[in-house]
Amino acid sequence: MSKKNRIKKPSGKNKGRQIPAQATPPLESSTDNENPSFRFTYTDENNWLLSDWKSSEINNLIQGLKKIEKYTWAQIKTHGSKKPGSLVGTGYKLISSHPSLPKNIPEDIKLSEMRIDEKKRIFGFRVDGVYYIVWFDRDHSVCPE
């Protein structure tokens, strides 16, 4: 092998230098900067069913989910208000007092509610960036305020 084709040995000049911080952003353990996706793995087959909704209500739900998908989890957590004069947003909140969950739901989940509109809600839980929908509440009857 000729000298031209040999790989040069590293010189000691770069010893002790670090890669710039901008080149290696810190790893985030949270998925709050991600947009949500929705899954139906744990949807209850006995209570608060999507099949009970009218087609116009389902259309509103789809539009609401599309709107929610545009936000990050960090934005969703702080979005929405029921104060007079405020815009109604997703209204994401954790629920501590709720009806019994289906048996296939893991015991350690934290149930939450997301507002679709003034009356309609979805209830479920978040694992990383995924929101697992458990109930479709068309008339605010799962956890009335």
Side-chain angles (χ1 to χ4, degrees):
M1 190 186 277
S2 73
K3 286 187 177 184
K4 288 182 183 178
N5 294 336
R6 288 188 187 167
I7 298 173
K8 292 182 181 180
K9 290 183 181 178
S11 67
K13 292 179 184 178
N14 290 335
K15 219 175 199 178
R17 291 181 73 191
Q18 294 182 353
I19 298 172
Q22 302 89 324
T24 57
L27 296 174
E28 293 185 21
S29 60
S30 173
T31 55
D32 280 359
N33 291 325
E34 294 179 13
N35 298 77
S37 61
F38 299 94
R39 299 273 316 255
F40 306 95
T41 307
Y42 297 101
T43 300
D44 192 339
E45 296 178 6
N46 299 306
N47 299 299
W48 296 288
L49 308 173
L50 185 58
S51 59
D52 294 338
W53 290 35
K54 297 175 188 170
S55 63
S56 62
E57 292 172 321
I58 293 172
N59 287 337
N60 290 342
L61 171 68
I62 301 279
Q63 293 309 310
L65 294 176
K66 284 181 177 182
K67 178 180 77 173
I68 292 168
E69 282 182 329
K70 292 178 183 178
Y71 297 108
T72 64
W73 279 107
Q75 292 169 320
I76 289 169
K77 288 179 181 181
T78 60
H79 191 245
S81 172
K82 290 187 76 173
K83 295 176 186 170
S86 298
L87 295 174
V88 174
T90 57
Y92 177 87
K93 65 181 177 181
L94 294 175
I95 305 294
S96 56
S97 178
H98 52 76
S100 296
L101 293 167
K103 291 181 181 180
N104 66 334
I105 305 252
E107 291 181 21
D108 61 344
I109 66 105
K110 293 179 181 176
L111 191 73
S112 61
E113 165 189 309
M114 272 201 249
R115 184 183 311 123
I116 299 301
D117 65 20
E118 288 293 327
K119 278 192 165 187
K120 293 177 204 62
R121 309 284 190 270
I122 55 173
F123 288 83
F125 58 95
R126 177 182 167 195
V127 176
D128 296 326
V130 178
Y131 192 77
Y132 290 88
I133 300 174
V134 176
W135 294 313
F136 298 92
D137 184 5
R138 69 190 278 218
D139 56 4
H140 205 270
S141 62
V142 173
C143 294
E145 293 174 345

